[in-house]
Amino acid sequence: MKQSERKNNSTSLRGKEGFESFYQNLYGDRWLKLKTAFDQPNMSVEYKIPGAEKSYFLDAASVFAASCLPLEGAENILDLCAAPGGKTVVLASRMEEGAKLTANERSFERKKRLYTVVQECIPPQINERIEVVCSDGATWCTKKTECFDRILLDAPCSSERHVIADSKYLNQWSLSRIKTVTTEQWALLSSAFRLLVPGGILLYSTCALCLQENDGIIERLFKKFPDSFSLLEPSPDTSIIGRFGSFAFPAFEKTQYGYMILPDTQNGAGPIYFSIVRKA
């Protein structure tokens, strides 16, 4: 993926024109292709666990990212920002018998939606090992540390696909919004890293396009915890294909610290950024 490394710090970048200028500078000629891809329907796939009451429909890129968190041998799994629940469903379908999954969401209303998804889209013999909770994941590390083998952090992000689709949000866009979001993302990631047991694995993901929310956050982790973790290459769980739905995995592109799936080359799947971290 060709991206400009120039950083535009101008506070005048705001609204539709500022949004266009920022992402044009970031993606160059590819920006038009990405916007055209956003105009097309999102490539959702049906994910159905045998024995569940309902299927769950989610982006093929989200299925791929959730399939890249290794679960072999994991006993305690955490989905730190779990609503609306698609990646929780994927994790639940893959976790080993006897493993437990905690699905957390800080918003009470979104937590209710998450609970419904767990009840309807995950069969009873699995959802009885899932705990749905409502709290701020950024504060968890103040109460406990090194207690989860695997963590999925699908962090709140700018979600440019949705910004473009809504004139209200597009007109309200500014660089300060990115700064606010990255502050929140860093608080969540640093908390999640402290919650991870030594040798444990964390998958950080967003549906953002900007570097600050993706590689920029992982770079901060390197600076904060030097020599405390390593990055893993994706090894998706291909066993889920056919078992839980008729779908194909999209292809990914390498970034400095992670990987991206972008809709202009993957039939509308994405955008998804993810990075896989193993704690030393």
Side-chain angles (χ1 to χ4, degrees), residues 243-258:
R243 291 173 59 202
F244 306 119
S246 300
F247 52 84
F249 282 152
F252 56 83
E253 305 173 32
K254 183 74 176 71
T255 67
Q256 184 175 3
Y257 298 109

Side-chain angles (χ1 to χ4, degrees), residues 10-24 31 35 160 163-164 166-178:
S10 173
T11 57
S12 65
L13 287 179
R14 59 178 59 251
K16 182 178 179 179
E17 290 185 1
F19 181 88
E20 287 288 333
S21 177
F22 180 80
Y23 287 97
Q24 176 70 45
W31 176 233
K35 288 195 298 178
E160 293 89 351
V163 173
I164 290 175
D166 192 315
S167 59
K168 173 186 174 182
Y169 292 118
L170 187 57
N171 291 329
Q172 292 177 346
W173 182 89
S174 69
L175 283 179
S176 63
R177 171 59 181 161
I178 293 178

Side-chain angles (χ1 to χ4, degrees), residues 1 10 26 32 35 76 90 97 110 189 207 215 219:
M1 177 173 56
S10 173
L26 192 62
L32 179 59
K35 288 195 298 178
N76 293 299
V90 177
E97 186 175 350
R110 284 169 59 82
L189 181 58
C207 58
D215 276 351
E219 185 172 53

Side-chain angles (χ1 to χ4, degrees), residues 3 35 40 51 56 74 88-89 91-92 144 160 163 172 241:
Q3 296 178 331
K35 288 195 298 178
Q40 305 304 313
Y56 192 95
T88 302
V89 172
L91 292 179
K144 57 180 75 174
E160 293 89 351
V163 173
Q172 292 177 346
I241 298 176

Side-chain angles (χ1 to χ4, degrees), residues 1 9 11 18 20 23 75 86 99 105 128 142 154 188 197 208 267:
M1 177 173 56
N9 294 316
T11 57
E20 287 288 333
Y23 287 97
E75 297 179 355
E105 173 55 45
E128 66 184 9
T142 64
D154 186 24
L188 286 164
V197 301
N267 298 316

Side-chain angles (χ1 to χ4, degrees), residues 45-260:
V45 298
E46 181 179 10
Y47 201 94
K48 177 68 181 291
I49 305 177
E53 179 183 344
K54 295 182 179 180
S55 302
Y56 192 95
F57 292 84
L58 73 165
D59 193 308
S62 295
V63 176
F64 181 86
S67 78
C68 287
L69 179 63
L71 296 185
E72 183 178 1
E75 297 179 355
N76 293 299
I77 305 162
L78 172 63
D79 190 348
L80 192 56
C81 299
K87 292 185 178 69
T88 302
V89 172
V90 177
L91 292 179
S93 72
R94 298 180 50 233
M95 67 181 184
E96 296 180 344
E97 186 175 350
K100 295 180 180 180
L101 171 61
T102 302
N104 175 68
E105 173 55 45
R106 69 178 180 181
S107 163
F108 180 72
E109 290 302 316
R110 284 169 59 82
K111 181 255 186 180
K112 290 195 294 184
R113 166 62 177 153
L114 171 64
Y115 180 81
T116 299
V117 167
V118 169
Q119 295 302 309
E120 295 180 344
C121 300
I122 300 173
Q125 68 272 21
I126 299 178
N127 71 37
E128 66 184 9
R129 293 184 278 119
I130 300 175
E131 182 182 12
V132 179
V133 298
C134 183
S135 63
D136 183 0
T139 67
W140 276 37
C141 64
T142 64
K143 304 168 187 176
K144 57 180 75 174
T145 58
E146 299 186 348
C147 50
F148 291 99
D149 306 304
R150 303 289 187 273
I151 299 176
L152 189 149
L153 172 55
D154 186 24
C157 68
S158 289
S159 188
E160 293 89 351
R161 177 190 279 273
H162 296 100
V163 173
I164 290 175
D166 192 315
S167 59
K168 173 186 174 182
Y169 292 118
L170 187 57
N171 291 329
Q172 292 177 346
W173 182 89
S174 69
L175 283 179
S176 63
R177 171 59 181 161
I178 293 178
K179 183 177 180 180
T180 299
V181 170
T182 54
T183 299
E184 181 180 11
Q185 291 166 339
W186 171 245
L188 286 164
L189 181 58
S190 57
S191 177
F193 190 73
R194 291 178 172 91
L195 292 169
L196 196 63
V197 301
I201 301 172
L202 179 153
L203 188 143
Y204 171 83
S205 70
T206 78
C207 58
L209 290 173
C210 68
L211 298 176
Q212 293 95 320
E213 298 181 43
N214 297 331
D215 276 351
I217 297 297
I218 302 300
E219 185 172 53
R220 288 185 67 176
L221 195 67
F222 266 114
K223 293 179 179 179
K224 180 68 175 180
F225 302 102
D227 304 319
S228 295
F229 69 92
S230 58
L231 297 177
L232 303 182
E233 295 182 358
S235 181
D237 183 357
T238 57
S239 70
I240 66 176
I241 298 176
R243 291 173 59 202
F244 306 119
S246 300
F247 52 84
F249 282 152
F252 56 83
E253 305 173 32
K254 183 74 176 71
T255 67
Q256 184 175 3
Y257 298 109
Y259 306 87
M260 290 197 79

